[in-house]
Amino acid sequence: MSRFPDPRMIRGSLGAFVVAALALPALAEDAGQFPEGGFGLGREATPDEIALWDIDIRPDGKGLPAGSGSVEAGEEIWTYECAHCHGDFAEGIDRWPVLAGGEGTLANDRPVKTIGSYWPYLSTVYDYVYRAMPFGYSQSLSADDIYAITAYLLYSNYIVEDDFVLSRENFTEVRLPNEDGFFMDDRAETELPVFIGEPCMTDCKDSVEITARAVILDVTPEDGGEGGGSID
Amino acid sequence: MSGIFKGMKPSRRAFLRGAAAAGVGAASGGVAARAAQDPAFDGLQPWMQQLGDPVDAAPYGMPSEFEAHVQRKTVYWLTADPISSINFTPLHELDGIITPNGLCFERHHGGAAHVDPALHRLMINGLVDRELVFTMEDLKRFPRENHVYFLECAANSGMEWRGAQLNGCQFTHGMIHNVMYTGIPLKLLLQEAGVQTAGKWILAEGADASGMTRSIPIEKALDDCLVAFKMNGEALRVEQGYPLRLVVPGWEGNMWVKWLRRIEVGDAPWHHREETSKYTDLLADGNARRFTWEMDAKSVITNPSPQAPITHSKGPTVITGLAWSGRGTIPRVDVTIDGGKNWYKARMSGPSLTKSMHRFYFDFDWDGKPLLLQSRAHDSTGYVQPTKDQLRAVRGENSIYHNNGIQTWHVNEKGEAENVEIS
């Protein structure tokens, strides 16, 4: 028996499809059963292909390449490759991301979310710097360069001393201060049971006052000003 | 007080009354005088006499030149530069539920990559029985499906947490689009590779210069995710991930990885930049929610709104807007014109599809007095869209993402609308 459906069966189901179409506003049929033994499409990836593309790093160190880099070496690379956007001390220039400082500000009116104050895992720094930085020349830095930049960012955040050397071997020993500052989405317990039920429809309040107006801020693009907040 | 139309079917008596009024006008010269001043009747228009464009004038058609103002727009102060940035869908210029491809908002982190489909591959590796590479031609031999889904950026309305800030639904709500995708169920591709029992998460990765990555639980990957190559019938647009993007229905837009080049199966999440430093929701106490994937039910009145004022005087007036939920359909939207003293059920129009935008209308007789307009979505789980203050009570004002609070527009006597908040 063929692993694909019998064409006569397809004709049969099309007949039912036409009848059903008269009664239903929209029709959706699944793309069908997965055939026994698979479709046989695509080809095996080679080890070299996987090595070239599989660049991701995890908090447990999975994916880290061999190599090492010092704070001192990192400062030199940083000055040349990174400082024109992120500042000499990772303090951020213009609206480019601030990467150092901000300790103890997360509950403030204006929190400063940096590697030291907010990011939970160091592996994210290594992974992101290699895959996406320098901006406009991704995946161009060596493993030693990335270890060195990562070490310099730790130093900028007062997490290591200036003689520190980061390597694959000691990578997972370094923990970021805010690792425990995150928890799994709990909206199903904290919000969904609250935001439910038949709401008031008639005579719901006695008076209504305007409490805030966008024109006072005047930051809509055609109006020229600059507003608060960032999405990046 | 503005009158609310009941049922909206004109009665025979009302129809006759209207005809009688027109008759009176003609007798006094009113209608005739108005017609004489109407420039549409100032002789024949050129398009009534002269020939139009030949069929080869526009091999790929564009909107009328009179619609040239209908454009995506950016807000320059939001980001450091326009490459890792965002623009906004002009919701106030659209109707129905489908977003035209050229108006779908853009968000990229390393610019819109121009990928050659002949050199594009999708790799599946990690905890699978067979690590595979597919060409675009391979992918188009898998069975495919069509689904309409909204894609909303988690930061949509993110600039409004501290109060009304941007004047226009394009800017307050325009990080969203709604498109029919044609794609392969991700489940089929994962089955082809053979996910091992230890495989609990996937990492989706883009081929652009940001190498965008997100961790997705295997349950979602095997449920309704698609690997899409068409939108609204044609190939994906460059800025939407041509030639291949991941579709993650109902979940935040950042996870819908564009220029999709690789899916890795693993036993734990990767905690990459876009799920730690970004797209985590900082609460007032300094702790942050992570993995807030689902988009809560939300709605907005698109017309009238600050960029689309009421341009007529009192009388029959159409209020319209959009509603959506990452958890299902939208069976109901309520509308108020008096700032929430009284609410009315809006009229839903068009297809009601799960995790798709829904269109609503509220037709009423405007008395020409100021209005405070709001809409309130109910989704198929029973969830009711909260007010902004209800959200702030739970989350504070620093969470940036997932602001689905009720939007208020103040409309003055001239029909001009403004983004406000009310008590």
Side-chain angles (χ1 to χ4, degrees), chain A residues 88-106:
Chain A
D88 286 342
F89 307 101
E91 75 278 16
I93 292 177
D94 298 332
R95 287 182 181 269
W96 296 105
V98 181
L99 298 174
E103 298 85 356
T105 66
L106 295 182

Side-chain angles (χ1 to χ4, degrees), chain B residues 308-342:
Chain B
I310 299 174
T311 54
H312 57 74
S313 55
K314 64 183 183 181
T317 300
V318 175
I319 289 174
T320 187
L322 293 161
W324 59 93
S325 169
R327 298 189 184 93
T329 60
I330 300 288
R332 171 179 161 194
V333 174
D334 304 326
V335 167
T336 178
I337 59 175
D338 59 12
K341 290 180 186 169
N342 296 288

